[in-house]
Amino acid sequence: MEENGNATPNRFLVKFSGEYLAGKGGSGFSTERLAHVSEELKQAKAHANGIAVVVGGGNFFRGGRALPALIDRVTGDQIGMLATAMNALALRDAFRGAGLQAESVCAFPVGGGLDQYDPDSARQVLDQGSVLILGGGTGNAFFTTDTTACLRALELGAQTVIKATRVDGVFSDDPEKNHEAVRYDHISYDFALSNGLQVMDATAFTLCRENGLSVRVIDLGVKGNLQSAVKGESVGTLVDVSGGTHD
Ligand code: UDP
């Protein structure tokens, strides 16, 4: 296992699920959610040396296995990636509306106001103080936006991936089904693996573990959580090389 030696101190990659942005009926955009995410990001940005954002596409379309019979797996994933690109555009405007400088790019050529991602230009955008939103996933079928988040974090020198979700961290069991489930504050990759704890999909998890990239899982719904995570306060669950007292 390598240390994440490429990291720029205090630089973060934040992963938002597309699902969180959804409006009524679980689809499209909720103005309230866009405003909440923008405000959280604005507060967090004030304490960071650059924030890049990866966004999912679940508010429009998810590829993977559960597809209508007439849509091929690769096509389904391409539709999913386009959905993330639409979200990248929406977040750009919402962030700007909150007074942030923000740019969006896509992993593959798509036009429509989105330049194609390249790591060198992306680093420059971050160095100049803009928030950079990365749409289009990795650009490859069979991957996820969690994997995209870890890959881009490594490329852009982020220290930690903050996975902003609907749950308050990593638990010993499903907290919705088992009321005895405990939340961990700080665990190692090895502890998560040996206890079968779901942090991210296996590809994303391996990328983090092999490159010493930390992941903090937080509940995005709680005001101030993102800022606390950036400040290194104990919020949600931190997964890293060293781990905490549970190991
Ligand atoms: N996707 C893909 N390759 C990638 C990233 C995403 O094929 O590198 C597709 C995949 O079909 C996925 C969809 O894009 O289901 C939307 O992403 P995700 O499910 O991660 O969105 P979220 O659940 O975070 O809203």
Side-chain angles (χ1 to χ4, degrees):
M1 194 190 306
E2 303 258 325
E3 285 293 330
N4 180 14
N6 197 30
T8 302
N10 217 24
R11 179 160 292 180
F12 295 87
L13 192 138
V14 179
K15 154 83 204 295
F16 293 127
S17 75
E19 202 174 14
Y20 189 82
L21 306 178
K24 283 202 174 73
S27 168
F29 299 111
S30 148
T31 307
E32 197 188 310
R33 291 278 173 95
L34 282 174
H36 172 72
V37 165
S38 305
E39 195 47 46
E40 290 299 296
L41 200 96
K42 187 178 175 179
Q43 287 174 13
K45 167 108 190 350
H47 303 277
N49 178 20
I51 295 189
V53 171
V54 164
V55 62
N59 52 331
F60 287 114
F61 194 87
R62 277 204 189 93
R65 292 192 188 89
L67 289 170
L70 292 174
I71 300 179
D72 174 77
R73 166 72 201 256
V74 175
T75 308
D77 281 343
Q78 286 168 330
I79 298 171
M81 287 186 276
L82 287 167
T84 74
M86 296 196 290
N87 284 338
L89 281 172
L91 283 183
R92 181 193 67 189
D93 281 12
F95 291 171
R96 286 181 183 171
L100 286 162
Q101 281 179 288
E103 301 295 336
S104 288
V105 292
C106 183
F108 46 88
V110 64
L114 288 167
D115 286 339
Q116 191 174 350
Y117 167 78
D118 96 272
D120 189 52
S121 317
R123 277 173 182 265
Q124 284 179 31
V125 170
L126 292 175
D127 289 345
Q128 284 158 10
S130 288
V131 177
L132 184 67
I133 306 139
L134 305 150
T138 61
N140 298 100
F142 297 99
F143 288 93
T144 63
T145 46
D146 276 358
T147 300
T148 310
C150 302
L151 179 64
R152 298 294 184 239
L154 291 168
E155 287 176 339
L156 301 175
Q159 219 176 21
T160 306
V161 171
I162 300 174
K163 184 174 168 171
T165 67
R166 287 181 308 148
V167 281
D168 188 24
V170 180
F171 288 78
S172 58
D173 197 1
D174 184 345
E176 282 172 16
K177 292 186 188 141
N178 177 1
H179 295 296
E180 313 269 290
V182 290
R183 180 177 60 77
Y184 299 112
D185 291 333
H186 188 186
I187 54 176
S188 68
Y189 306 113
D190 290 342
F191 181 82
L193 207 59
S194 57
N195 289 278
L197 303 176
Q198 191 61 35
V199 181
M200 288 179 153
D201 66 80
T203 313
F205 189 84
T206 304
L207 207 51
C208 292
R209 188 165 175 260
E210 293 303 309
N211 294 284
L213 182 67
S214 315
V215 180
R216 192 182 283 279
V217 181
I218 62 162
D219 182 352
L220 180 57
V222 177
K223 277 188 185 166
N225 261 1
L226 194 57
Q227 180 182 184
S228 298
V230 162
K231 285 158 113 177
E233 291 168 8
S234 181
V235 55
T237 301
L238 178 66
V239 189
D240 66 9
V241 184
S242 64
T245 51
H246 295 284
D247 294 68

